[in-house]
Amino acid sequence: MHLHRDLIVSTAVALLNEYGLADTTMRRVATTLSVAPGALYWHINNKQALIAAIADYIVGPVLDAPATDATELSRRLRQRLLAFRDGAEVVSAGLSQVDNPTWWRLVEHVEQSLAASVECAAVPESLRAAATALIHLTVGATTFEQSRGQLAAFAAAAPPAEPAEPADAALADAAEPATSELERAVAFIIRGLQSTTVEDYARK
C-alpha cells in the first residue's frame, strides 16, 4: 500500500465518524492503515495538523461551490458540519490554528456572499467583520446543536426511569427550529451590514 496524505485524511475522517474527535488519534489511524505511527509523520506532523486537514476536508466543498447569498452559504456550511460526527468542533479547532489558509479562504468566500446579499456597496472593513461574525455564528450554533444531539442520544441509550421520546424524534423536532434561528441571525448580520454603506462611512 502506498501511504499518502489523502489516504491518511480519508482514513481519519472515517475514524472520526466512528469514534468521535477525542478518539481519532494518530496511533489509531496508523493501526487502521497497518503502518507504524512514525510513518504518518512524513505526511502530517501531529494531531493538530491532522485536525486541520480534516477541517479542510469538511469545509472544502463549501469553498469549491460558487459564491451564493449569505443565508444559503450559512445553510450549506451547517449541513456540511452536521454530516460528520463532531464536525463543527473539528472545524472550529482546525480553522482556529494560526495562519491556517483555509480560514482566510472561507472568510473571503463569505465576504463575496455577503457582498452579493446587500443592496448597496459595503465598507471593506465591515464586510470582513460581518464575514467573521457569520462564520463564528454558524460554527458555534452548529457545535451547540451537535452537542445537544449527542446528549439526547446518550440519554436515549441509558435505561429510562420513565418512557421518553426517542432521540431521533427529538433531534428531528429540534432541527427545523435550529435552522430557522440560524437563518434569522444571519439576516440580522445582513441588515446590519446594509446599514453601514460606503456613503455612510464617508460621512463619519
Side-chain angles (χ1 to χ4, degrees):
M1 178 186 63
H2 175 61
L3 187 65
H4 52 85
R5 181 183 175 86
D6 288 348
L7 177 61
I8 294 170
V9 173
S10 63
T11 301
V13 169
L15 292 173
L16 173 72
N17 284 328
E18 184 173 358
Y19 296 104
L21 176 58
D23 292 322
T24 301
T25 63
M26 297 288 279
R27 181 172 296 278
R28 176 162 269 161
V29 173
T31 299
T32 302
L33 292 172
S34 300
V35 299
L40 302 183
Y41 294 99
W42 288 97
H43 307 276
I44 295 179
N45 292 335
N46 48 45
K47 184 172 181 180
Q48 287 70 37
L50 180 63
I51 291 172
I54 298 172
D56 292 350
Y57 179 92
I58 294 173
V59 174
V62 177
L63 296 175
D64 293 339
T68 182
D69 69 271
T71 302
E72 177 60 26
L73 189 149
S74 175
R75 187 183 301 116
R76 286 182 186 175
L77 179 57
R78 172 182 172 272
Q79 290 172 345
R80 187 67 180 166
L81 299 177
L82 290 174
F84 299 87
R85 182 173 177 178
D86 297 334
E89 184 181 356
V90 169
V91 168
S92 178
L95 297 190
S96 64
Q97 295 181 29
V98 177
D99 296 330
N100 186 325
T102 302
W103 163 255
W104 294 112
R105 285 185 62 205
L106 182 58
V107 169
E108 291 172 359
H109 198 66
V110 175
E111 284 180 346
Q112 294 173 14
S113 295
L114 284 167
S117 300
V118 297
E119 298 174 353
C120 47
V123 180
E125 291 85 349
S126 298
L127 266 178
R128 176 58 53 92
T132 301
L134 188 147
I135 296 169
H136 289 166
L137 169 67
T138 304
V139 176
T142 310
T143 300
F144 180 85
E145 184 179 355
Q146 285 191 310
S147 296
R148 184 172 56 185
Q150 290 172 2
L151 289 173
F154 291 150
E162 57 186 41
E165 182 180 20
D168 290 345
L171 291 177
D173 291 342
E176 185 60 32
T179 304
S180 300
E181 290 173 4
L182 179 58
E183 290 181 0
R184 283 197 295 270
V186 171
F188 289 143
I189 293 176
I190 294 172
R191 285 200 292 271
L193 186 60
Q194 286 176 327
S195 69
T196 311
T197 64
V198 171
E199 291 78 7
D200 293 336
Y201 189 80
R203 287 196 292 268
K204 292 182 180 180

